Amino acid sequence: MLSFTNISLRRGPRLLFENFNLTIHPGQRVGLTGANGCGKSSLFDLILGRLQPDAGEFDQPSQWVLAHVAQETPAVDRSALDYVLDGDRELRLLQSDLEKAEQADDGTAQGTLHARIEAINGYTAPVRAAKLMHGLGFTAAQESQPVRTFSGGWRMRLNLAQALMCRSDLLLLDEPTNHLDLDTVLWLEEWLSTYPGTLLLISHDRELLDQVVSHIAHIENKTVSYYRGNYAAFERQRGEQLAQQQAAYQKQQREIAHIQHFVDRFRAKASKARQAQSRLKALQRMEQVASAHVTSPFYFTLPPPEKLPAALLRLRQVAMGYEQQAVLSHVNLDLAPGDRIGLLGPNGAGKSTFIKSLAGELPSQAGTVEEAPDLVIGYFAQHQVEQLRAQETPLQHLQVLAPSAPEKDLRNFLGGFNFQGEQALAPVGSFSGGEKARLALALLVYRRPNLLLLDEPTNHLDLEMRYALTSALQDFEGAMIIVSHDRHLLRSTADTLWLVANHTAIPFDGDLEDYQRWLQQRRGGTGENTHGNPTEFQHATVRKERRRQEAERRRLLQPLRKQLKEIEKTLEKLQAEKAVLDQQLATPDLYQDPQQKEQLKVLLMEQARLRNALLETEEKWLIATETLEAAEQGG
């Protein structure tokens, strides 16, 4: 088992962990979660021996074989298949020993080595490696292709295949889905579900965590908390803990305020001095309960577009592609405000081509494209993240879009994407991939588009930012087309699924589970029938009607959500005013000085007004919450 005992760990001057304890038993599948920068990757480096703890002890079985994904891929001439086979280190050692035995003409050693290779299924290893490569999207022709000819994203897939090829006891995966499409994520999920060893998985893909892991190790406040169950179970347990912690915190704060008020009033009176001193000591001894920081640092909305034409975009018999090479043809599409389309399709089928063509980056090769005069497109793709100006700050990027806007307003807007304080003024070149993606999204949102085109918007985003993005997209009033390997995002935001395959794009009569079955059929050699077979999709009409009803329900829920947000804002304002007033009323001079009587009367009347206003607003909040919950449940 993996044993962490009183571990403290620094990365440079920064303390990441302090005196945490954790035991991971063989066979457990552990999802490692926590905010970006909390120390997840550093924990992997500790296990790999790249870092040593500043205090405490880490132990793991010496005989365990450990596998992880290499971050660099050498630009070598060896074939991709050979490179993947290198993951089985024991096989490679035996093959090397066998080659030496053959050169020495040592028949006995050769026989022994052949038997050992047979025992570890070494002679079927090339088939196993080819299957891994196929699952990760490589074609048969690419198996013999030199490693140096692959792009960066495909080299990362080769590294992943190499790690999976290892017959490991412990597998460490750090964001393995970042460079994968939905098809490959689904395949990886199946593979990990049957992995027999101990798994540690860092991922911001909540559906992958839900399907694969048995435990969650959550990093927060320089320690690690261990939860049994998948990510959904962790969210429930942590939510209950935070609610209890917040209730205990509020109760203790009331008690502290009461004791402090008593001490402040009576410590100067001889008859009460001893009691005041006693209570002051009790206050000092009291173990402080930390406030539960449940609020995400990310909160933003997609402001309503300035104009919403009834028809945003119309395509008729459009062909899309590069130069003279058509990738998609005979594409027909009508887009109106409120349309939400999720694009599905095998890797390389043309999803990104589809998005780029709609964004105007690729001119159509045939057919007609009609755009509304007031069409404003918000396009997010990885290359736009890479085109951010490294020497400029987030604020400067935003000022290019709004040169006359007050700096305060721009910084408040950036704060919703967690670019606060000095980070709003820091050069973008020093940012992580997630921070750059957040900034690209912020710039997109600021333009108030009425059509969003999103190509893998969640790459490098952590769970909190993904949640904020999902919430914002749910309330968006314009149209949206999205490509994403994040199934939770697709389920939560897309009302219609389209399938990009067979050199065209058409509506898909099914859900994500149907699409997974379609992929399995396709891998099984049943062809690429876009619609699947009739038996598989016999309930397509029912599902289509269900999705239509869900889209209509989401449209009806929008005003309820907006009303609830307005009430919550009012509640926060009233609570802040009451906190200030309570602080004023806690001043001892107010009660002892006769000249302060009128002021005291005014403050008490204001306190009564605020109390009544809070009660009324809380009543409205309760009604609005119950109404929204009932509507969400279809009641």
Side-chain angles (χ1 to χ4, degrees):
M1 63 185 179
L2 302 179
S3 176
F4 303 84
T5 307
N6 296 323
I7 294 288
S8 293
L9 182 66
R10 289 183 178 275
R11 202 85 190 239
R14 188 171 167 223
L15 181 63
L16 293 175
F17 299 101
E18 187 172 21
N19 297 324
F20 87 84
N21 295 278
L22 177 65
T23 301
I24 297 173
H25 294 282
Q28 290 184 342
R29 306 159 180 272
V30 182
L32 207 55
T33 64
N36 281 345
C38 70
K40 299 187 292 291
S41 296
S42 296
L43 203 59
F44 272 19
D45 285 339
L46 176 65
I47 296 170
L48 290 166
R50 296 170 179 167
L51 289 177
Q52 296 301 316
D54 295 279
E57 291 184 2
F58 167 67
D59 292 308
Q60 62 178 314
S62 58
Q63 73 275 16
W64 272 17
V65 176
L66 191 153
H68 68 99
V69 180
Q71 295 304 305
E72 301 293 333
T73 314
V76 294
D77 289 320
R78 298 177 63 236
S79 73
L81 185 67
D82 268 346
Y83 183 78
V84 172
L85 278 165
D86 288 344
D88 193 333
R89 297 189 291 273
E90 184 181 4
L91 173 62
R92 286 307 201 200
L93 285 171
L94 290 173
Q95 289 175 335
S96 175
D97 290 344
L98 179 59
E99 187 177 339
K100 292 174 185 174
E102 288 171 346
Q103 290 172 355
D105 200 23
D106 187 340
T108 304
Q110 289 179 49
T112 302
L113 289 165
H114 277 297
R116 288 175 63 187
I117 291 173
E118 178 70 31
I120 64 169
N121 297 318
Y123 294 110
T124 60
V127 176
R128 187 156 49 98
K131 283 183 177 178
L132 284 173
M133 291 183 67
H134 180 65
L136 289 171
F138 293 90
T139 63
Q142 287 176 310
E143 292 174 15
S144 56
Q145 202 171 307
V147 172
R148 60 175 171 76
T149 62
F150 290 95
S151 65
W154 285 96
R155 289 189 189 185
M156 289 305 296
R157 292 192 190 207
L158 283 176
N159 285 349
L160 177 58
Q162 191 182 78
L164 301 185
M165 187 66 192
C166 178
R167 289 172 296 104
S168 58
D169 300 289
L170 174 62
L171 176 60
L172 307 180
L173 295 179
D174 189 347
E175 291 294 351
T177 63
N178 264 356
H179 298 278
L180 306 183
D181 55 13
L182 178 58
D183 303 12
T184 317
V185 171
L186 291 169
W187 175 87
L188 179 63
E189 182 181 287
E190 290 178 17
W191 193 95
L192 291 176
S193 296
T194 60
Y195 173 66
T198 304
L199 172 67
L200 264 66
L201 172 65
I202 298 173
S203 179
H204 294 136
D205 186 330
R206 58 189 300 152
E207 291 224 8
L208 180 68
L209 290 171
D210 274 342
Q211 296 299 323
V212 170
V213 306
S214 61
H215 293 74
I216 293 288
H218 184 65
I219 302 174
E220 190 175 32
N221 298 327
K222 300 183 181 65
T223 192
V224 183
S225 302
Y226 207 45
Y227 298 83
R228 182 183 296 276
N230 60 11
Y231 187 79
F234 153 72
E235 277 197 320
R236 283 194 304 273
Q237 294 174 64
R238 184 165 178 261
E240 290 167 3
Q241 288 175 357
L242 290 173
Q244 292 168 2
Q245 183 180 340
Q246 189 67 15
Y249 170 78
Q250 291 172 347
K251 179 181 177 183
Q252 189 183 66
Q253 289 303 302
R254 288 194 296 270
E255 186 179 350
I256 289 171
H258 177 71
I259 294 174
Q260 191 65 54
H261 181 57
F262 181 91
V263 170
D264 292 340
R265 284 186 66 188
F266 298 116
R267 78 193 320 174
K269 291 191 177 182
S271 60
K272 297 283 188 179
R274 182 174 293 178
Q275 287 177 270
Q277 195 63 30
S278 173
R279 294 197 180 193
L280 186 60
K281 286 181 179 178
L283 194 62
Q284 292 166 347
R285 287 195 302 268
M286 189 179 292
E287 183 180 350
Q288 296 286 309
V289 177
S291 176
H293 297 285
V294 295
T295 305
S296 168
F298 310 109
Y299 176 77
F300 66 94
T301 57
L302 288 162
E306 292 184 356
K307 295 184 179 179
L308 269 177
L312 291 168
L313 190 65
R314 170 179 282 191
L315 275 62
R316 288 293 179 270
Q317 296 297 310
V318 172
M320 306 169 175
Y322 302 84
E323 298 177 353
Q324 302 304 313
Q325 179 70 36
V327 177
L328 302 172
S329 58
H330 307 296
V331 177
N332 298 292
L333 173 69
D334 289 283
L335 270 182
D339 288 344
R340 299 159 176 274
I341 296 173
L343 294 186
L344 306 176
N347 182 61
K351 298 186 293 295
S352 292
T353 303
F354 188 90
I355 292 273
K356 284 180 182 177
S357 296
L358 296 184
E361 293 204 353
L362 288 175
S364 57
Q365 298 175 331
T368 59
V369 178
E370 298 176 17
E371 295 183 355
D374 298 317
L375 179 68
V376 179
I377 292 176
Y379 175 41
F380 178 94
Q382 194 58 38
H383 72 272
Q384 291 182 312
V385 174
E386 294 162 359
Q387 287 172 2
L388 293 171
R389 298 176 294 280
Q391 72 280 5
E392 294 185 17
T393 68
L395 181 61
Q396 287 172 327
H397 277 82
L398 205 54
Q399 284 172 331
V400 171
L401 298 179
S404 59
E407 182 177 320
K408 181 183 177 184
D409 292 348
L410 298 181
R411 293 191 67 165
N412 285 340
F413 175 80
L414 289 169
F417 292 81
N418 205 28
F419 294 109
Q420 299 174 358
E422 292 303 313
Q423 197 175 27
L425 307 175
V428 170
S430 63
F431 285 6
S432 67
E435 289 166 336
K436 288 177 181 176
R438 272 195 275 130
L439 178 57
L441 279 170
L443 298 174
L444 178 153
V445 167
Y446 194 82
R447 296 184 63 239
R448 299 181 67 177
N450 47 33
L451 171 58
L452 284 176
L453 302 174
L454 306 175
D455 192 353
E456 295 292 357
T458 61
N459 276 356
H460 305 292
L461 298 184
D462 65 13
L463 282 160
E464 294 286 359
M465 184 59 187
R466 290 186 187 205
Y467 177 78
L469 176 62
T470 302
S471 299
L473 290 176
Q474 285 174 337
D475 293 332
F476 179 54
E477 296 178 11
M480 179 189 74
I481 298 180
I482 183 170
V483 176
S484 179
H485 66 257
D486 188 319
R487 285 162 289 168
H488 180 74
L489 181 67
L490 284 175
R491 290 184 208 277
S492 302
T493 60
D495 296 327
T496 306
L497 298 175
W498 277 49
L499 182 63
V500 180
N502 297 328
H503 307 293
T504 192
I506 61 171
F508 180 71
D509 288 332
D511 53 23
L512 287 175
E513 282 68 32
D514 293 324
Y515 176 64
Q516 191 166 2
R517 286 192 285 273
W518 181 87
L519 283 174
Q520 289 167 345
Q521 271 190 348
R522 187 173 178 272
R523 290 192 195 118
T526 56
E528 291 192 16
N529 183 348
T530 306
H531 298 281
N533 62 54
T535 306
E536 190 70 45
F537 300 113
Q538 59 184 320
H539 301 300
T541 305
V542 175
R543 285 193 298 270
K544 196 171 184 179
E545 175 60 19
R546 186 183 68 218
R547 291 200 307 276
R548 188 197 65 76
Q549 291 173 355
E550 287 174 351
E552 177 64 16
R553 188 160 63 89
R554 187 176 291 145
R555 186 184 67 78
L556 294 172
L557 288 175
Q558 277 189 9
L560 292 176
R561 288 199 181 103
K562 286 183 179 177
Q563 181 189 18
L564 185 59
K565 285 179 182 176
E566 289 300 319
I567 294 172
E568 286 172 345
K569 285 180 183 176
T570 305
L571 257 181
E572 288 176 8
K573 183 182 176 184
L574 289 172
Q575 287 167 343
E577 289 177 13
K578 186 176 180 298
V580 172
L581 189 64
D582 288 344
Q583 195 171 6
Q584 290 176 305
L585 285 168
T587 306
D589 292 348
L590 200 60
Y591 302 89
Q592 296 169 1
D593 188 349
Q595 295 181 359
Q596 299 270 11
K597 277 190 177 180
E598 283 304 314
Q599 176 66 11
L600 177 61
K601 188 185 294 184
V602 170
L603 291 176
L604 289 172
M605 288 176 64
E606 179 64 11
Q607 186 186 46
R609 185 195 70 79
L610 281 173
R611 191 176 289 125
N612 289 333
L614 270 168
L615 286 172
E616 289 176 11
T617 309
E618 285 169 354
E619 182 82 18
K620 288 179 183 177
W621 179 84
L622 188 61
I623 293 169
T625 302
E626 289 175 347
T627 304
L628 180 60
E629 286 177 354
E632 286 176 337
Q633 293 168 8

